[in-house]
């Protein structure tokens, strides 16, 4: 529902208001599905590849190929990635782009952590054996990023991208306005399709998900399924479009 669409006197209360919101979300979701299929070549491919990768990881999280035994460390992490990613996708379909981006930011934190574990296995063991206070202190998002940089490795979700997601989707400031992803700079309260917000949210979600899965592969017991997951993840990452928060902001400045 866009600002100015209805007056306060026309809004129902109680369950009727919640049902109205659900109806509005359904309309936005239908618009999203319809429009995504027409937004160039990459967006439909990205959406398809995202579904494939999440399906594969969902199966691993649920031990659908048979229980691997042990403490299910990799499966529990896969479950967190899947639930965050599906939540982010559901939110972008309903027009809650800021909230979708917030979950994608959380995926970015997981991606960096898994990337650190992949290249420095000793850090994974240290993380697993540490108490909560130590983990919060020594494995904060900033500390993890700095550790990756110190190792001379590329950072999946670098400082610029992470800071941008925090500014738009998480942290509240004096100029905070909800769901401003349109050339007119108009805030909305969700359930209103915005092409820019949809593309950016999809790309951020797909990129963070792909980075997470790349880090998950070594900690999952995949056996013969490993190659398919690797190929699907590469396809997902290659289909991520160029629209992000910075390019969207730059594009709207010229309008």
């Amino acid at each position: 529902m866009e600002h100015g669409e209805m007056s306060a006197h026309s809004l129902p209360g109680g369950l009727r208001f919640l049902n109205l919101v659900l109806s509005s979300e359904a309309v936005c979701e239908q618009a999203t599905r319809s429009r995504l299929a027409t937004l160039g070549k990459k967006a439909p491919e990205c959406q398809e590849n995202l579904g494939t990768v999440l399906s594969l990881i969902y199966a691993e999280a649920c031990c659908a190929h048979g229980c691997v035994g042990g403490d299910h460390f990799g499966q529990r992490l896969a479950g967190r990635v899947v639930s965050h990613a599906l939540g982010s996708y559901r939110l972008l379909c309903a027009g809650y782009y800021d909230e979708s981006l917030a979950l994608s930011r959380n995926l970015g934190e997981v991606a960096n952590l898994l990337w650190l574990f992949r290249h420095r296995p000793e850090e994974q063991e240290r993380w697993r054996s540490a108490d909560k206070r130590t983990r919060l202190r020594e494995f904060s998002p900033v500390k993890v990023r700095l550790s990756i940089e110190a190792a001379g490795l590329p950072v999946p979700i670098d400082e610029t991208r992470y800071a941008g997601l925090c500014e738009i989707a998480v942290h509240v400031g004096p100029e905070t306005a909800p769901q401003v992803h349109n050339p007119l700079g108009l805030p909305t309260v969700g359930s209103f399709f915005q092409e820019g917000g949809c593309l950016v949210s999809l790309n951020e979600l797909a990129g963070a998900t792909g980075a997470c899965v790349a880090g998950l592969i070594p900690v999952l017991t995949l056996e013969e399924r490993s190659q398919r997951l690797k190929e699907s993840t590469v396809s997902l990452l290659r289909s991520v479009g160029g629209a992000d928060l910075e390019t969207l902001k730059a594009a709207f400045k010229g309008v």
Side-chain angles (χ1 to χ4, degrees):
M1 292 175 286
E2 190 177 8
H3 279 269
E5 185 176 313
M6 59 181 64
S7 69
H9 296 294
S10 67
L11 283 171
L15 185 58
R16 287 186 301 156
F17 173 74
L18 297 178
N19 288 336
L20 174 63
V21 170
L22 290 176
S23 297
S24 181
E25 290 172 357
V27 172
C28 184
E29 181 177 357
Q30 185 58 44
T32 301
R33 291 180 177 182
S34 175
R35 294 289 296 278
L36 265 178
T38 67
L39 292 178
K41 180 181 178 181
K42 275 203 163 185
E45 286 183 359
C46 185
Q47 188 179 29
E48 180 71 19
N49 291 332
L50 178 66
T52 296
V53 168
L54 288 179
S55 175
L56 295 173
I57 290 298
Y58 193 106
E60 298 300 332
C62 297
C63 290
H65 302 285
C67 183
V68 300
D71 63 1
H72 289 78
F73 173 68
Q75 288 70 34
R76 288 186 283 116
L77 288 176
R80 173 56 66 87
V81 170
V82 167
S83 61
H84 270 27
L86 290 177
S88 178
Y89 179 73
R90 186 72 185 88
L91 287 164
L92 81 85
C93 285
Y96 298 111
Y97 306 113
D98 295 347
E99 290 70 28
S100 173
L101 291 168
L103 280 178
S104 294
R105 187 208 72 153
N106 291 353
L107 281 171
E109 292 182 357
V110 177
N112 284 355
L113 187 65
L114 288 169
W115 197 248
L116 176 65
F117 294 166
R118 178 169 185 166
H119 292 279
R120 296 182 62 184
E122 71 278 5
E123 289 296 276
Q124 176 176 312
E125 294 308 312
R126 194 163 73 89
W127 180 78
R128 294 188 66 179
S129 61
D131 57 36
K132 182 178 180 180
R133 179 175 296 180
T134 301
R135 283 197 302 273
L136 291 173
R137 183 180 67 249
E138 299 187 16
F139 291 92
S140 66
V142 173
K143 289 288 185 66
V144 169
R145 176 176 56 80
L146 291 175
S147 294
I148 296 173
E149 292 174 349
L153 300 168
V155 183
I157 308 298
D158 61 21
E159 182 179 12
T160 300
R161 171 160 268 109
Y162 186 80
L165 289 169
C166 289
E167 179 183 357
I168 294 296
V170 180
H171 298 159
V172 177
E175 298 180 357
T176 296
Q179 318 300 345
V180 182
H181 302 282
N182 56 79
L184 297 178
L186 295 176
T188 78
V189 289
S191 302
F192 182 75
F193 178 80
Q194 299 179 70
E195 182 177 309
C198 181
L199 286 175
V200 167
S201 297
L202 177 64
N203 288 334
E204 294 291 353
L205 168 58
T209 298
C212 280
V213 175
L216 271 174
I217 290 173
V219 298
L220 290 169
T221 308
L222 294 170
E223 299 175 348
E224 74 281 355
R225 302 184 300 278
S226 177
Q227 189 59 33
R228 184 186 179 193
L229 184 55
K230 289 178 181 177
E231 291 174 353
S232 298
T233 302
V234 169
S235 295
L236 173 61
L237 291 171
R238 285 178 175 171
S239 65
V240 174
D244 58 22
L245 291 172
E246 290 302 313
T247 60
L248 189 66
K249 187 185 301 182
F252 288 166
K253 279 184 178 180
V255 175

